[in-house]
Amino acid sequence: MDIKQLTYLVNLERERHFGRAAEASFVSQPTLSMRLKNLEKELGLSLINRSNNFDGFTAEGERVLSWAREIVSVYQGLKLEVESLKHGVKGTLRIGVVPQCSISLPLMLKGISERYPQLDYRVAVLSADQLLDALNSHTVDVGIGFFELATLRELHFQAEPLRDDGVEVVFHPQHFPQLVGDTPLELNDLAEVPLCLAEQTRYFRRYLDTHFREADIRLRVVLETTSIFQLVQGIQVGLGCLISPCGHLLPEMTPELHSRKLAIAPMSRQAAVVIAEPGRATPLAQHFFDEVRRWLSEGQGGRLSAPSLTG
């Protein structure tokens, strides 16, 4: 057994396809299949359900896979630690984010880059539930999204809460002059307003749907998508209005748009930056997390007054 075989196994879990797993491992598909069969022979266990295509893992394979994730994560962390000792904090950090959160991710990354200019980032947009799974399986180093704090404590994650400034309605005043004002909007004010919203599988959308349903208000959703870019374009041309966590959008990008707070109950989940517990987080993730704490404590991105979670 060697680290490459375990890496192939982890890549197969992520890609759910032999060909794509081979590409992610930078080997041919026959090589990947042969090395995984050799691993099964060495262990004396069948790890993979095989048909014409990849058909998931056996029960024994799932057990081995959980160890493989840990070992590969530690190995990658070791490599990053060696690189940081030789060249400083350098490498590519894998970040998982939900589509709408209470902070602008590029604003945060720009603040961190002033301390660690050699850090690069690979960002995946996930649902809140997918994000927790990705953190558990070590397919991302950092998660930024909405979490149940009790769950994070049980799983021993480190979490830095983000300030919750509530929810806002973003609109173009030329197309929706009736929404212009300074006081918070009520849910009833949006009863007949066309909206551009994230799809229903997203936590923030489910949160909105729940509160509007409890208020017996039917939302008129004219554009539903996972793409924030498409949502913002929809607002820009007057197709509809966006409901978003305050702090998610940079006002400088669209100075002609207006926003008003929405009077709605707070979310039950907490926006936070999350990494694995000390000792299990990669050195790169830990450096990033510590710098995020410093950046937030200086008031750059907003921060809760409550103490941080440490696992």
Side-chain angles (χ1 to χ4, degrees), residues 122-141:
R122 189 170 73 221
V123 178
V125 179
L126 306 169
S127 71
D129 296 331
Q130 288 172 334
L131 182 53
L132 191 59
D133 289 341
L135 285 164
N136 274 318
S137 62
H138 304 290
T139 55
V140 299
D141 305 303

Side-chain angles (χ1 to χ4, degrees), residues 107-128:
L107 184 65
M108 175 186 286
L109 299 185
K110 175 61 176 174
I112 306 305
S113 69
E114 294 176 3
R115 176 73 179 275
Y116 297 129
Q118 296 187 88
L119 266 184
D120 299 323
Y121 307 97
R122 189 170 73 221
V123 178
V125 179
L126 306 169
S127 71

